[in-house]
Amino acid sequence: NAGVMQNPRHLVRRRGQEARLRCSPMKGHSHVYWYRQLPEEGLKFMVYLQKENIIDESGMPKERFSAEFPKEGPSILRIQQVVRGDSAAYFCASSRPGTGGHEQYFGPGTRLTVT
Amino acid sequence: DQQVKQNSPSLSVQEGRISILNCDYTNSMFDYFLWYKKYPAEGPTFLISISSIKDKNEDGRFTVFLNKSAKHLSLHIVPSQPGDSAVYFCAAPRRDAGNMLTFGGGTRLMVKP
């Protein structure tokens, strides 16, 4: 009965490189949310995906960031040409269809450090 | 526009006493509220929730109170234990945005033995 899995747990990238963060939702969950937590701040919504569809990406920066949730495999959050300001903890949450909002289960997060 | 606010970044309480964590919101469309607990290097863990049709929800040592007219909720932990030391976030789902959660900035609770 695995929970939400995220990998890698820690990722170090130099400025200009690409970062790929992976999230495997809980079994039976087809909704995935990505949140970002900057140091000393709360979590901020980035994007909401269902299988093969981006439902809401209103929290995603307009450039360099993209997300997908393919039919098979994990959800991927991709950051191109990373900058120091991208350093943060990125959390993925998953839920089943039709739940009321409290059924979002979070993964352990990926801590991205841009040097 | 920060729709959910936690104005106390930290709180220190003696073991055995009551911890009260506060949260204010501005969006009157919010109809459900959640508290999450977060340890360092871990993801948030759901703790307790409350629907806007209620003014109180209790689960063991944890009670959440909702005052809709004041747009204010609070989490009471009694008695507080050292293992409760963590960062606590209140959150509300946006019904108009796929239930994505809007989080407050968090309150770091330290329970001293």
Side-chain angles (χ1 to χ4, degrees):
Chain A
N1 187 19
V4 178
M5 311 275 283
Q6 288 188 251
N7 68 80
R9 294 292 307 275
H10 300 275
L11 183 60
V12 180
R13 285 287 178 266
R14 289 202 184 99
R15 277 181 299 169
Q17 290 185 320
E18 178 180 288
R20 282 190 179 230
L21 289 64
R22 293 174 186 78
C23 169
S24 296
M26 287 180 68
K27 187 175 181 180
H29 288 195
S30 58
H31 296 198
V32 166
Y33 303 79
W34 285 93
Y35 296 85
R36 176 166 69 173
Q37 184 183 23
L38 295 170
E40 304 304 320
E41 292 188 14
L43 284 76
K44 298 279 196 300
F45 167 76
M46 299 183 74
V47 61
Y48 164 40
L49 309 104
Q50 296 176 14
K51 283 284 188 181
E52 299 184 279
N53 284 307
I54 297 174
I55 306 302
D56 187 326
E57 56 182 348
S58 57
M60 288 271 272
K62 293 285 186 287
E63 297 176 352
R64 303 187 296 108
F65 285 70
S66 63
E68 62 177 10
F69 189 15
K71 187 176 179 182
E72 302 289 338
S75 175
I76 307 279
L77 179 67
R78 182 178 176 213
I79 312 172
Q80 295 178 290
Q81 299 172 350
V82 295
V83 301
R84 287 225 172 95
D86 297 332
S87 296
Y90 292 82
F91 293 97
C92 163
S94 73
S95 70
R96 288 195 313 270
T99 54
H102 63 284
E103 296 282 353
Q104 284 189 35
Y105 295 85
F106 282 81
T110 293
R111 272 142 196 88
L112 172 65
T113 302
V114 179
T115 62
Chain B
D1 176 29
Q2 196 175 355
Q3 298 186 3
V4 179
K5 288 185 182 178
Q6 293 174 256
N7 291 318
S8 299
S10 65
L11 174 67
S12 183
V13 169
Q14 204 68 34
E15 180 180 5
R17 306 293 286 268
I18 185 170
S19 295
I20 300 177
L21 295 93
N22 295 304
C23 179
D24 297 293
Y25 63 96
T26 58
N27 189 339
S28 56
M29 299 298 290
F30 287 149
D31 64 355
Y32 200 90
F33 302 90
L34 307 93
W35 283 93
Y36 280 84
K37 177 179 180 179
K38 185 180 180 304
Y39 292 117
E42 294 184 12
T45 303
F46 169 71
L47 191 58
I48 192 169
S49 62
I50 188 165
S51 166
S52 61
I53 62 173
K54 295 185 175 180
D55 55 18
K56 176 183 175 181
N57 188 26
E58 189 173 351
D59 183 2
R61 296 185 299 115
F62 303 91
T63 304
V64 56
F65 295 92
L66 175 62
N67 182 334
K68 280 197 299 183
S69 61
K71 293 193 174 69
H72 177 83
L73 59 154
S74 61
L75 174 68
H76 292 211
I77 307 173
V78 55
S80 302
Q81 300 172 355
D84 296 329
S85 297
V87 178
Y88 290 79
F89 294 98
C90 66
R94 286 265 312 270
R95 300 303 187 194
D96 61 336
N99 289 328
M100 66 92 156
L101 294 173
T102 302
F103 283 85
T107 297
R108 183 179 304 277
L109 173 66
M110 292 161 284
V111 180
K112 299 177 184 175

